[in-house]
Amino acid sequence: MISNILVVDDEPSIVELIEFNLQKTGYHVLKAENGHEALQLVRTNKPDLIILDLMIPDIDGIEVCRRLKGQQETAAIPIIMLTAKNEEVDKIVGLELGADDYMTKPFSPRELMARVKAVLRRSHKDSVQHDGELVVGKLRLNFSSYTAYLDQEKLELTPKEYELLKLFITNVGRAYTREQLLEKVWGYEYFGDTRTVDVHVRHLRAKMAAEPKVAEAIETVRGVGYRFSEI
């Protein structure tokens, strides 16, 4: 089944570049040049993925993201944001609203296609799940026993380390701010600075150091937080 991807940007050269690469990869492309048109196309076509520039006319990208993620019928549609280097705050706001990933202009078309594939794969639940377990590469998490294994060796994780790892590998490719990780893993029981996230990430990497490819899959996203890349 061919995935439908909506590209929202008011720069014709950018749209043409993205459209060419998406079509070459085998996707069907929808296009909108402003926020109002984008929202209409989402309602009528229900795309599988949206590539959304933040600085679009009429209704900006942040508001488009807010509206889509705030409605039940569109909340599950993944969004990759396109941002300029000076839009750091908007990028973080977009991720907090529920955007799945972001690319900073100028970007590599090859990297964008890789991000598109990763987000669609996550959205379509291509990860191997069976018997209350999730397997990603050499990592295996058992949800019922609250245990994690790396290449058949049990990882000795604290409860928070386990929850953090579970969040990462059930959302491969998605970038999280440190504040989001605090809220999702620590909840309202923790009131402090975000350095505790950095400490737990460092401990997770150290405990998975026997498989460097897995340990390095927890990537630091500069200016944002962390994400777990494909392995």
Side-chain angles (χ1 to χ4, degrees), residues 78-156:
I79 296 174
I80 297 177
M81 299 180 302
L82 298 180
T83 73
K85 287 187 176 180
N86 61 352
E87 294 168 1
E88 193 77 29
V89 173
D90 287 341
K91 176 172 63 183
I92 293 174
V93 170
L95 290 170
E96 290 176 343
L97 286 173
D100 296 77
D101 206 345
Y102 74 92
M103 292 286 293
T104 301
K105 295 179 180 179
F107 55 83
S108 158
R110 178 180 293 183
E111 183 179 356
L112 178 59
M113 293 307 103
R115 300 281 185 90
V116 166
K117 289 178 182 178
V119 171
L120 284 173
R121 185 176 297 118
R122 183 169 74 243
S123 175
H124 295 159
K125 296 180 172 57
D126 281 355
S127 294
V128 182
Q129 298 190 52
H130 52 88
D131 298 331
E133 290 187 344
L134 173 63
V135 180
V136 178
K138 292 186 177 183
L139 268 178
R140 175 166 59 90
L141 262 67
N142 186 298
F143 301 146
S144 58
S145 64
Y146 223 66
T147 51
Y149 297 84
L150 180 61
D151 198 21
Q152 306 306 316
E153 292 291 326
K154 185 179 179 181
L155 292 171
E156 298 299 332

Coordinates of all heavy atoms in Angstrom, one line a residue, residues 78-156:
P78 N 1.4 11.2 12.1 CA 2.7 11.7 12.4 C 3.1 12.9 11.7 O 2.7 13.1 10.5 CB 3.6 10.5 12.1 CG 2.9 9.7 11.1 CD 1.4 9.9 11.4
I79 N 3.9 13.8 12.3 CA 4.3 15.0 11.7 C 5.8 15.2 11.9 O 6.4 15.0 12.9 CB 3.6 16.2 12.5 CG1 2.1 16.2 12.2 CG2 4.2 17.6 12.0 CD1 1.4 17.2 13.0
I80 N 6.5 15.5 10.7 CA 7.9 15.9 10.7 C 7.9 17.4 10.5 O 7.4 17.8 9.4 CB 8.7 15.1 9.7 CG1 8.7 13.6 10.0 CG2 10.1 15.7 9.6 CD1 9.4 12.8 8.9
M81 N 8.5 18.1 11.4 CA 8.6 19.6 11.2 C 9.8 20.0 10.4 O 10.9 19.4 10.6 CB 8.6 20.3 12.6 CG 7.4 20.0 13.5 SD 7.6 20.9 15.1 CE 9.1 20.2 15.7
L82 N 9.7 21.0 9.7 CA 10.8 21.7 9.0 C 11.0 23.0 9.7 O 10.1 23.8 9.8 CB 10.5 21.9 7.5 CG 10.3 20.6 6.7 CD1 10.1 21.0 5.2 CD2 11.5 19.7 6.8
T83 N 12.2 23.3 10.2 CA 12.5 24.5 10.9 C 13.8 25.2 10.4 O 14.6 24.5 9.8 CB 12.7 24.2 12.4 OG1 14.0 23.6 12.6 CG2 11.6 23.3 13.0
A84 N 13.8 26.5 10.6 CA 15.1 27.2 10.3 C 15.9 27.2 11.6 O 15.5 26.9 12.7 CB 14.8 28.6 9.9
K85 N 17.2 27.4 11.4 CA 18.1 27.3 12.6 C 17.8 28.2 13.7 O 18.1 28.0 14.9 CB 19.6 27.6 12.1 CG 20.2 26.4 11.3 CD 21.6 26.7 11.0 CE 22.2 25.5 10.2 NZ 23.7 25.7 9.9
N86 N 17.1 29.4 13.4 CA 16.8 30.3 14.4 C 15.5 30.1 15.1 O 14.9 30.9 15.8 CB 16.9 31.8 13.9 CG 15.9 32.0 12.8 OD1 15.2 31.1 12.3 ND2 15.8 33.3 12.3
E87 N 14.9 28.9 14.8 CA 13.5 28.6 15.4 C 13.6 27.6 16.5 O 12.7 26.7 16.6 CB 12.6 28.1 14.2 CG 12.3 29.2 13.2 CD 11.6 28.7 11.9 OE1 11.4 27.4 11.9 OE2 11.4 29.4 11.0
E88 N 14.6 27.7 17.3 CA 14.9 26.7 18.4 C 13.7 26.5 19.3 O 13.2 25.4 19.6 CB 16.1 27.1 19.2 CG 16.6 26.0 20.1 CD 17.4 24.9 19.3 OE1 18.0 25.2 18.3 OE2 17.4 23.7 19.8
V89 N 13.1 27.6 19.7 CA 12.0 27.6 20.6 C 10.8 27.0 20.0 O 10.1 26.1 20.6 CB 11.6 29.0 21.1 CG1 10.4 29.0 22.0 CG2 12.8 29.6 22.0
D90 N 10.5 27.4 18.7 CA 9.4 26.8 18.0 C 9.5 25.3 17.8 O 8.6 24.5 17.9 CB 9.2 27.4 16.6 CG 8.7 28.9 16.7 OD1 8.1 29.2 17.8 OD2 8.9 29.6 15.8
K91 N 10.8 24.8 17.6 CA 11.0 23.4 17.4 C 10.7 22.7 18.7 O 10.0 21.6 18.6 CB 12.5 23.2 17.1 CG 13.0 21.8 17.0 CD 14.4 21.8 16.4 CE 15.4 22.4 17.4 NZ 16.7 22.4 16.8
I92 N 11.1 23.2 19.8 CA 10.8 22.5 21.1 C 9.3 22.5 21.4 O 8.7 21.5 21.8 CB 11.5 23.2 22.2 CG1 13.1 22.9 22.1 CG2 11.1 22.6 23.6 CD1 13.9 23.7 23.0
V93 N 8.6 23.7 21.1 CA 7.2 23.7 21.3 C 6.5 22.7 20.4 O 5.5 22.0 20.8 CB 6.7 25.1 20.9 CG1 5.1 25.2 20.9 CG2 7.2 26.1 22.0
G94 N 6.9 22.6 19.2 CA 6.3 21.6 18.2 C 6.4 20.2 18.8 O 5.5 19.4 18.7
L95 N 7.6 19.8 19.3 CA 7.8 18.5 19.8 C 6.9 18.3 21.0 O 6.4 17.2 21.2 CB 9.3 18.3 20.2 CG 10.2 18.1 19.0 CD1 11.7 18.2 19.5 CD2 10.0 16.9 18.2
E96 N 6.8 19.3 21.9 CA 5.9 19.2 23.0 C 4.5 19.0 22.7 O 3.7 18.5 23.4 CB 6.2 20.4 24.0 CG 7.5 20.4 24.6 CD 7.8 21.6 25.5 OE1 7.1 22.6 25.3 OE2 8.7 21.5 26.3
L97 N 4.1 19.6 21.5 CA 2.7 19.5 21.1 C 2.4 18.1 20.5 O 1.3 17.7 20.3 CB 2.4 20.5 20.0 CG 2.2 22.0 20.5 CD1 2.1 22.9 19.3 CD2 1.0 22.1 21.4
G98 N 3.5 17.3 20.2 CA 3.3 16.0 19.7 C 3.9 15.7 18.4 O 3.7 14.6 17.8
A99 N 4.6 16.6 17.7 CA 5.3 16.4 16.5 C 6.3 15.2 16.7 O 6.8 15.1 17.8 CB 6.0 17.6 16.0
D100 N 6.5 14.4 15.7 CA 7.3 13.2 15.8 C 8.8 13.4 15.6 O 9.6 12.6 16.1 CB 6.7 12.1 14.9 CG 5.3 11.7 15.3 OD1 4.4 12.5 14.9 OD2 5.2 10.6 15.9
D101 N 9.1 14.4 14.8 CA 10.5 14.6 14.5 C 10.6 16.0 13.8 O 9.6 16.6 13.6 CB 11.0 13.5 13.5 CG 12.5 13.3 13.6 OD1 13.2 14.1 14.2 OD2 13.0 12.3 13.1
Y102 N 11.9 16.4 13.6 CA 12.1 17.7 12.9 C 13.3 17.6 12.0 O 14.2 16.8 12.3 CB 12.2 18.8 13.9 CG 13.6 18.7 14.7 CD1 14.6 19.5 14.2 CD2 13.7 18.0 15.8 CE1 15.9 19.4 14.8 CE2 15.0 17.9 16.4 CZ 16.0 18.7 15.9 OH 17.2 18.6 16.5
M103 N 13.4 18.5 11.1 CA 14.6 18.6 10.2 C 14.8 20.1 10.1 O 13.9 20.9 10.0 CB 14.3 18.1 8.8 CG 14.2 16.6 8.7 SD 15.7 15.7 8.9 CE 16.6 16.2 7.4
T104 N 16.1 20.5 10.2 CA 16.5 21.9 10.1 C 17.0 22.2 8.7 O 17.8 21.5 8.1 CB 17.7 22.2 11.1 OG1 17.2 21.9 12.5 CG2 18.1 23.6 11.1
K105 N 16.4 23.3 8.2 CA 16.8 23.7 6.9 C 18.2 24.4 6.9 O 18.5 25.2 7.9 CB 15.8 24.7 6.3 CG 14.4 24.2 6.0 CD 13.5 25.3 5.5 CE 12.1 24.8 5.2 NZ 11.2 25.9 4.7
P106 N 19.1 24.2 5.9 CA 18.9 23.3 4.8 C 19.1 21.9 5.2 O 19.9 21.6 6.1 CB 20.0 23.8 3.8 CG 21.1 24.4 4.7 CD 20.3 25.0 5.9
F107 N 18.5 21.0 4.6 CA 18.5 19.6 5.0 C 19.0 18.7 3.8 O 18.9 19.1 2.7 CB 17.2 19.1 5.6 CG 16.0 19.3 4.6 CD1 15.8 18.4 3.6 CD2 15.2 20.4 4.7 CE1 14.8 18.6 2.7 CE2 14.2 20.6 3.8 CZ 14.0 19.7 2.8
S108 N 19.4 17.5 4.2 CA 19.8 16.5 3.2 C 18.6 15.7 2.8 O 17.9 15.1 3.7 CB 20.8 15.5 3.8 OG 20.9 14.3 3.1
P109 N 18.2 15.7 1.5 CA 17.1 14.9 1.1 C 17.2 13.4 1.5 O 16.2 12.8 1.9 CB 17.1 15.1 -0.5 CG 17.8 16.4 -0.7 CD 18.8 16.4 0.4
R110 N 18.4 12.9 1.4 CA 18.5 11.5 1.9 C 18.2 11.3 3.3 O 17.5 10.3 3.7 CB 20.0 11.1 1.6 CG 20.3 9.6 2.0 CD 21.7 9.2 1.8 NE 22.0 9.2 0.4 CZ 23.2 8.8 -0.1 NH1 24.2 8.5 0.7 NH2 23.4 8.7 -1.4
E111 N 18.6 12.3 4.2 CA 18.3 12.2 5.6 C 16.8 12.3 5.8 O 16.2 11.6 6.6 CB 19.1 13.2 6.4 CG 18.8 13.1 7.9 CD 19.6 14.1 8.7 OE1 20.3 14.8 8.2 OE2 19.3 14.1 10.0
L112 N 16.2 13.2 5.1 CA 14.7 13.4 5.2 C 14.0 12.1 4.9 O 13.1 11.7 5.5 CB 14.2 14.6 4.4 CG 12.7 14.8 4.4 CD1 12.2 15.1 5.8 CD2 12.3 15.9 3.4
M113 N 14.4 11.5 3.8 CA 13.8 10.2 3.4 C 13.9 9.1 4.4 O 13.0 8.3 4.7 CB 14.3 9.7 2.0 CG 14.0 10.6 0.8 SD 12.2 11.0 0.6 CE 12.2 12.7 1.2
A114 N 15.1 9.1 5.1 CA 15.4 8.2 6.1 C 14.4 8.4 7.3 O 13.9 7.5 7.9 CB 16.8 8.2 6.6
R115 N 14.2 9.7 7.7 CA 13.4 10.1 8.7 C 11.9 9.7 8.4 O 11.2 9.2 9.3 CB 13.4 11.6 9.0 CG 14.8 12.1 9.4 CD 15.1 11.8 10.9 NE 16.4 12.4 11.3 CZ 16.5 13.6 11.7 NH1 15.5 14.4 11.9 NH2 17.7 14.1 12.0
V116 N 11.5 10.0 7.2 CA 10.2 9.6 6.7 C 9.9 8.1 6.9 O 8.9 7.7 7.4 CB 9.9 10.0 5.2 CG1 8.7 9.4 4.7 CG2 9.8 11.5 5.1
K117 N 10.9 7.3 6.4 CA 10.7 5.8 6.6 C 10.6 5.4 8.0 O 9.8 4.6 8.4 CB 11.9 5.1 5.9 CG 11.9 5.3 4.4 CD 13.1 4.6 3.8 CE 13.1 4.7 2.3 NZ 14.3 4.1 1.6
A118 N 11.5 6.0 8.9 CA 11.5 5.7 10.3 C 10.2 6.0 11.0 O 9.6 5.2 11.7 CB 12.7 6.3 11.0
V119 N 9.7 7.2 10.7 CA 8.4 7.7 11.3 C 7.2 6.8 10.8 O 6.4 6.4 11.6 CB 8.2 9.2 11.0 CG1 6.8 9.6 11.5 CG2 9.2 10.0 11.8
L120 N 7.2 6.5 9.5 CA 6.1 5.7 9.0 C 6.2 4.3 9.6 O 5.2 3.6 9.9 CB 6.2 5.6 7.5 CG 5.7 6.8 6.7 CD1 6.0 6.7 5.2 CD2 4.2 7.0 7.0
R121 N 7.4 3.7 9.7 CA 7.6 2.4 10.3 C 7.1 2.4 11.7 O 6.4 1.4 12.1 CB 9.1 2.0 10.2 CG 9.3 0.6 10.7 CD 10.8 0.2 10.5 NE 11.2 0.2 9.1 CZ 12.1 1.1 8.6 NH1 12.7 1.9 9.4 NH2 12.4 1.0 7.4
R122 N 7.4 3.4 12.5 CA 6.9 3.4 13.8 C 5.4 3.6 13.9 O 4.7 2.9 14.7 CB 7.6 4.6 14.6 CG 7.2 4.7 16.0 CD 8.1 5.8 16.7 NE 7.7 7.1 16.4 CZ 8.5 7.9 15.8 NH1 9.7 7.6 15.4 NH2 8.2 9.2 15.5
S123 N 4.9 4.4 13.0 CA 3.4 4.6 12.9 C 2.7 3.4 12.6 O 1.6 3.1 13.1 CB 3.1 5.7 11.9 OG 1.7 5.9 11.8
H124 N 3.3 2.6 11.7 CA 2.6 1.3 11.2 C 3.0 0.1 12.1 O 2.6 -1.0 11.8 CB 3.1 1.0 9.8 CG 2.6 2.0 8.8 ND1 3.2 2.2 7.6 CD2 1.6 3.0 8.9 CE1 2.6 3.2 6.9 NE2 1.6 3.7 7.7
K125 N 3.7 0.4 13.2 CA 4.0 -0.6 14.2 C 4.7 -1.8 13.6 O 4.3 -3.0 13.8 CB 2.7 -1.1 14.9 CG 2.0 0.0 15.7 CD 0.7 -0.5 16.3 CE 0.1 0.5 17.3 NZ -0.1 1.8 16.8
D126 N 5.8 -1.5 12.9 CA 6.6 -2.6 12.3 C 7.5 -3.2 13.2 O 8.2 -4.2 12.9 CB 7.4 -2.0 11.1 CG 6.5 -1.8 9.9 OD1 5.3 -2.2 9.9 OD2 7.0 -1.3 8.9
S127 N 7.6 -2.7 14.5 CA 8.5 -3.4 15.4 C 7.9 -4.7 15.8 O 6.7 -4.9 15.8 CB 8.6 -2.5 16.7 OG 9.3 -1.3 16.5
V128 N 8.8 -5.7 16.0 CA 8.3 -7.1 16.3 C 7.8 -7.1 17.8 O 8.5 -6.9 18.7 CB 9.5 -8.1 16.2 CG1 9.0 -9.5 16.5 CG2 10.1 -8.0 14.8
Q129 N 6.5 -7.4 17.9 CA 5.9 -7.5 19.2 C 5.2 -8.8 19.4 O 4.5 -9.3 18.5 CB 4.9 -6.4 19.5 CG 5.5 -5.0 19.4 CD 4.5 -3.9 19.9 OE1 4.0 -4.1 21.0 NE2 4.3 -2.9 19.1
H130 N 5.5 -9.5 20.5 CA 4.8 -10.8 20.7 C 4.9 -11.2 22.2 O 5.9 -10.9 22.8 CB 5.5 -11.9 19.8 CG 7.0 -12.0 20.0 ND1 7.6 -12.8 21.0 CD2 8.0 -11.4 19.4 CE1 8.9 -12.7 20.9 NE2 9.2 -11.9 20.0
D131 N 3.8 -11.8 22.6 CA 3.8 -12.3 24.0 C 4.2 -11.3 25.0 O 5.0 -11.6 26.0 CB 4.7 -13.6 24.1 CG 4.2 -14.7 23.2 OD1 3.0 -14.8 23.0 OD2 5.0 -15.5 22.8
G132 N 3.7 -10.1 24.9 CA 4.1 -9.1 25.9 C 5.5 -8.6 25.8 O 6.0 -8.1 26.8
E133 N 6.2 -8.8 24.7 CA 7.6 -8.5 24.5 C 7.7 -7.5 23.3 O 6.9 -7.5 22.4 CB 8.5 -9.7 24.3 CG 8.6 -10.5 25.5 CD 9.7 -11.6 25.3 OE1 10.0 -11.9 24.1 OE2 10.1 -12.2 26.3
L134 N 8.8 -6.7 23.4 CA 9.1 -5.9 22.3 C 10.6 -6.1 21.9 O 11.4 -6.1 22.8 CB 8.9 -4.4 22.6 CG 9.4 -3.4 21.6 CD1 8.6 -3.5 20.3 CD2 9.2 -2.0 22.1
V135 N 10.8 -6.4 20.7 CA 12.2 -6.7 20.2 C 12.6 -5.7 19.2 O 12.0 -5.5 18.2 CB 12.3 -8.1 19.6 CG1 13.7 -8.4 19.1 CG2 11.8 -9.2 20.6
V136 N 13.7 -5.0 19.5 CA 14.3 -4.0 18.6 C 15.8 -4.3 18.4 O 16.6 -4.1 19.4 CB 14.1 -2.6 19.0 CG1 14.7 -1.6 18.1 CG2 12.6 -2.2 19.2
G137 N 16.2 -4.9 17.3 CA 17.6 -5.3 17.2 C 17.9 -6.3 18.2 O 17.2 -7.3 18.4
K138 N 19.0 -6.1 19.0 CA 19.4 -7.1 20.0 C 18.8 -6.7 21.4 O 19.1 -7.4 22.3 CB 21.0 -7.0 20.1 CG 21.7 -7.6 18.9 CD 23.2 -7.7 19.1 CE 23.8 -8.3 17.9 NZ 25.3 -8.5 18.1
L139 N 17.9 -5.8 21.4 CA 17.3 -5.4 22.6 C 15.9 -6.1 22.7 O 15.2 -6.2 21.7 CB 17.0 -3.9 22.7 CG 18.0 -3.0 23.4 CD1 17.5 -1.6 23.3 CD2 18.2 -3.4 24.8
R140 N 15.6 -6.7 23.9 CA 14.3 -7.3 24.1 C 13.8 -6.9 25.5 O 14.5 -7.0 26.5 CB 14.5 -8.8 24.1 CG 13.2 -9.6 24.4 CD 13.3 -11.0 24.0 NE 14.4 -11.7 24.7 CZ 14.2 -12.3 25.9 NH1 13.1 -12.4 26.5 NH2 15.3 -12.9 26.4
L141 N 12.6 -6.3 25.5 CA 11.9 -5.9 26.7 C 10.7 -6.8 26.9 O 9.9 -7.0 26.0 CB 11.4 -4.5 26.7 CG 12.4 -3.4 27.4 CD1 13.7 -3.4 26.6 CD2 11.7 -2.1 27.4
N142 N 10.6 -7.4 28.1 CA 9.4 -8.1 28.5 C 8.6 -7.3 29.4 O 9.0 -6.9 30.5 CB 9.9 -9.4 29.2 CG 8.7 -10.3 29.5 OD1 7.8 -10.0 30.3 ND2 8.7 -11.5 28.9
F143 N 7.4 -7.0 29.0 CA 6.5 -6.0 29.7 C 5.9 -6.6 31.0 O 5.6 -5.9 31.9 CB 5.4 -5.5 28.8 CG 5.9 -4.8 27.6 CD1 5.2 -4.9 26.4 CD2 7.0 -4.0 27.6 CE1 5.6 -4.2 25.2 CE2 7.5 -3.4 26.5 CZ 6.8 -3.5 25.3
S144 N 5.7 -7.9 30.9 CA 5.0 -8.6 32.1 C 6.0 -8.8 33.2 O 5.6 -8.7 34.4 CB 4.4 -9.9 31.7 OG 5.4 -10.8 31.1
S145 N 7.3 -9.1 32.9 CA 8.3 -9.3 34.0 C 9.1 -8.1 34.3 O 9.9 -8.1 35.2 CB 9.2 -10.5 33.6 OG 9.9 -10.2 32.4
Y146 N 8.9 -7.0 33.5 CA 9.6 -5.8 33.8 C 11.1 -6.0 33.6 O 11.9 -5.4 34.4 CB 9.3 -5.3 35.2 CG 9.0 -3.8 35.2 CD1 7.9 -3.2 34.6 CD2 9.9 -2.9 36.0 CE1 7.7 -1.8 34.7 CE2 9.6 -1.6 36.0 CZ 8.5 -1.0 35.4 OH 8.3 0.3 35.4
T147 N 11.5 -6.8 32.6 CA 12.9 -7.1 32.4 C 13.4 -6.7 31.0 O 12.6 -6.6 30.1 CB 13.2 -8.6 32.7 OG1 12.3 -9.3 31.9 CG2 13.1 -8.9 34.1
A148 N 14.7 -6.5 30.9 CA 15.3 -6.1 29.6 C 16.5 -7.0 29.4 O 17.3 -7.3 30.3 CB 15.7 -4.6 29.6
Y149 N 16.7 -7.4 28.1 CA 17.8 -8.2 27.7 C 18.5 -7.6 26.5 O 17.9 -7.0 25.6 CB 17.3 -9.6 27.4 CG 16.7 -10.3 28.5 CD1 15.3 -10.2 28.8 CD2 17.4 -11.2 29.3 CE1 14.7 -10.8 29.9 CE2 16.8 -11.9 30.4 CZ 15.5 -11.7 30.6 OH 14.9 -12.3 31.7
L150 N 19.9 -7.7 26.6 CA 20.7 -7.3 25.5 C 21.5 -8.4 25.0 O 22.4 -9.0 25.7 CB 21.6 -6.1 25.9 CG 22.5 -5.5 24.8 CD1 21.7 -4.9 23.7 CD2 23.5 -4.5 25.5
D151 N 21.2 -8.9 23.8 CA 21.8 -10.1 23.2 C 21.8 -11.3 24.2 O 22.8 -11.9 24.4 CB 23.3 -9.7 22.8 CG 23.8 -10.7 21.8 OD1 23.0 -11.5 21.2 OD2 25.1 -10.8 21.7
Q152 N 20.6 -11.5 24.7 CA 20.3 -12.6 25.6 C 20.8 -12.4 27.0 O 20.5 -13.2 27.9 CB 20.8 -14.0 25.1 CG 20.4 -14.3 23.7 CD 18.9 -14.3 23.5 OE1 18.2 -14.8 24.3 NE2 18.4 -13.7 22.4
E153 N 21.6 -11.3 27.3 CA 22.1 -11.1 28.6 C 21.1 -10.1 29.3 O 20.8 -9.0 28.8 CB 23.5 -10.5 28.6 CG 24.6 -11.4 28.1 CD 24.8 -12.5 29.1 OE1 24.7 -12.3 30.3 OE2 25.1 -13.7 28.6
K154 N 20.7 -10.4 30.6 CA 19.8 -9.6 31.3 C 20.5 -8.3 31.7 O 21.6 -8.3 32.2 CB 19.3 -10.3 32.5 CG 18.2 -9.5 33.3 CD 17.7 -10.2 34.5 CE 16.7 -9.4 35.3 NZ 16.2 -10.1 36.5
L155 N 19.8 -7.2 31.5 CA 20.3 -5.9 31.9 C 19.8 -5.6 33.3 O 18.6 -5.7 33.6 CB 19.8 -4.8 31.0 CG 20.4 -4.8 29.5 CD1 19.7 -3.8 28.7 CD2 21.9 -4.5 29.5
E156 N 20.7 -5.2 34.2 CA 20.3 -4.8 35.6 C 19.9 -3.3 35.6 O 20.8 -2.5 35.8 CB 21.4 -5.1 36.5 CG 21.8 -6.6 36.6 CD 20.7 -7.5 37.1 OE1 19.8 -7.0 37.8 OE2 20.7 -8.7 36.6

